[in-house]
Amino acid sequence: MKKFLLPVLLFTSVLGIQSCSEDFEVAAPYKNITVVYGMLNIKDTAHYVRIQKAFLDENKNALEMAKVADSNFYPESALDVKIKEISNGHIVGAPITLTRVDMNQEGYAKDSGIFFQAPNYAYKFKRDLNLTYQYRLVVENTVTGIKDSADINIIDSSYLTIRGDNLAPTNPNAAVNLNFANANFATNQYKLFIDPGPVTSSNRPSYLEGIIRFRWMEKDLATGHQADKSADFFFSSADVSTGDPLSATNVSFYNFLKEAMKPAPTGVARYMDSAYLYIYGAGDAYLSYINTLAIQSTGLSADQIKPTFTNIKGKDVFGLFTSRTFRFKKLLIDQSTLDSLKSSSRVQELNIQGRTP
């Protein structure tokens, strides 16, 4: 999940690093750059949009500025943030006003790092999203009068159908087996085909990511004490337009489990029965963002200042406003895979004994 929900600080840190270039000047002594990050999810009842300032200042150290909240947030009275619902090109009802909240108080504490941990502001609204509407984010700076905006469609979670390891239509409720037992670890792949929905639909995702949550039970054979454990494996990602399945080599599963589980303590046996597959889908803007990152990391100018992706329209603004959704499905680990985990010299130190007795 963390991989999919990219933090807004990624945008601000890119801008901060750019201001430290030794090749040429990239900014005036100081200017406000607005940074916006939001992903609306039809499954959520509360929605958050993070809006901050990027720190471009030739006379100050970006890493030091990152520690100061005032360098990263506008005063509360300086921004008027609204969501407008649009149907057939017309605004429906009154605009929704977002209120500023501290995400630490909302149950979403900021990760530790070079950036300050508190306050942790974002803008919140509560509304059931309508798949037939477009959603327009409008951010107005009440001091300068500058308005920034972006329009998006909402991704429909019901379109994400997990077909399993073949393209044939299947019952969405049917079990899907997880099978990565094969002697040729390096080249054999486990594939999952995902139906993203009708090509003509504006609610169809453009980008997919898959995460497999492995679950196992550890049992102390001397005391009988049992403990449930889990670890998330970033399985694969795909541009929906390619039609490619989500896939990974068999060896990547074994390497992941070896790193995540670590050698079993003396006298501890491990048992596995199932895993959970989480499929995340995102809209066009997120796919464009991913592709932009890929382009920026290659080419003759890869070590120079790079363009920063944005789908926010306005002056001196960068950011990503898009829609996302997810579905999950239980995966049954087949017997051949369990036998392989139990006997393979690659993971013998994990002491996986098969299914839970």
Side-chain angles (χ1 to χ4, degrees), residues 318-337:
F318 293 93
L320 175 65
F321 183 58
T322 187
S323 173
R324 67 177 178 89
T325 192
F326 76 94
R327 298 197 79 175
F328 71 93
K329 190 178 188 69
K330 189 175 183 179
L331 301 178
L332 301 178
I333 302 177
D334 70 5
Q335 190 58 48
S336 63
T337 298

Side-chain angles (χ1 to χ4, degrees), residues 79-256:
L79 294 182
D80 180 31
V81 185
K82 287 183 168 57
I83 289 286
K84 297 180 180 180
E85 295 176 309
I86 300 172
S87 177
N88 297 319
H90 300 285
I91 296 174
V92 179
I96 306 165
T97 299
L98 281 67
T99 56
R100 191 168 83 163
V101 297
D102 190 331
M103 297 293 283
N104 293 333
Q105 303 301 317
E106 296 282 308
Y108 302 99
K110 183 182 290 187
D111 291 340
S112 59
I114 63 171
F115 291 90
F116 60 91
Q117 272 69 58
N120 182 20
Y121 293 133
Y123 291 80
K124 175 183 179 180
F125 74 100
K126 300 188 71 172
R127 177 70 64 95
D128 290 336
L129 302 180
N130 189 324
L131 288 171
T132 66
Y133 291 167
Q134 281 188 313
Y135 284 79
R136 176 176 297 165
L137 172 69
V138 180
V139 180
E140 180 178 3
N141 188 311
T142 59
V143 177
T144 65
I146 294 175
K147 289 185 179 181
D148 307 314
S149 67
D151 293 358
I152 62 170
N153 296 307
I154 301 301
I155 301 302
D156 188 355
S157 60
S158 66
Y159 280 159
L160 294 177
T161 302
I162 302 168
R163 294 199 182 282
D165 59 359
N166 62 74
L167 285 171
T170 60
N171 181 347
N173 297 319
V176 175
N177 286 335
L178 180 62
N179 182 339
F180 53 93
N182 195 291
N184 195 351
F185 292 96
T187 59
N188 279 271
Q189 292 185 324
Y190 177 72
K191 299 179 180 180
L192 286 171
F193 289 89
I194 312 298
D195 184 351
V199 175
T200 56
S201 175
S202 60
N203 304 116
R204 183 179 192 250
S206 298
Y207 177 82
L208 298 176
E209 282 186 358
I211 291 175
I212 296 178
R213 177 165 296 167
F214 287 96
R215 302 161 61 243
W216 67 92
M217 186 267 283
E218 297 190 350
K219 182 177 182 179
D220 188 312
L221 300 178
T223 65
H225 175 74
Q226 298 180 1
D228 293 325
K229 301 292 183 69
S230 67
D232 289 351
F233 172 61
F234 179 73
F235 176 57
S236 182
S237 62
D239 178 341
V240 166
S241 67
T242 67
D244 294 336
L246 299 179
S247 64
T249 59
N250 288 357
V251 70
S252 65
F253 286 100
Y254 285 81
N255 289 342
F256 170 78

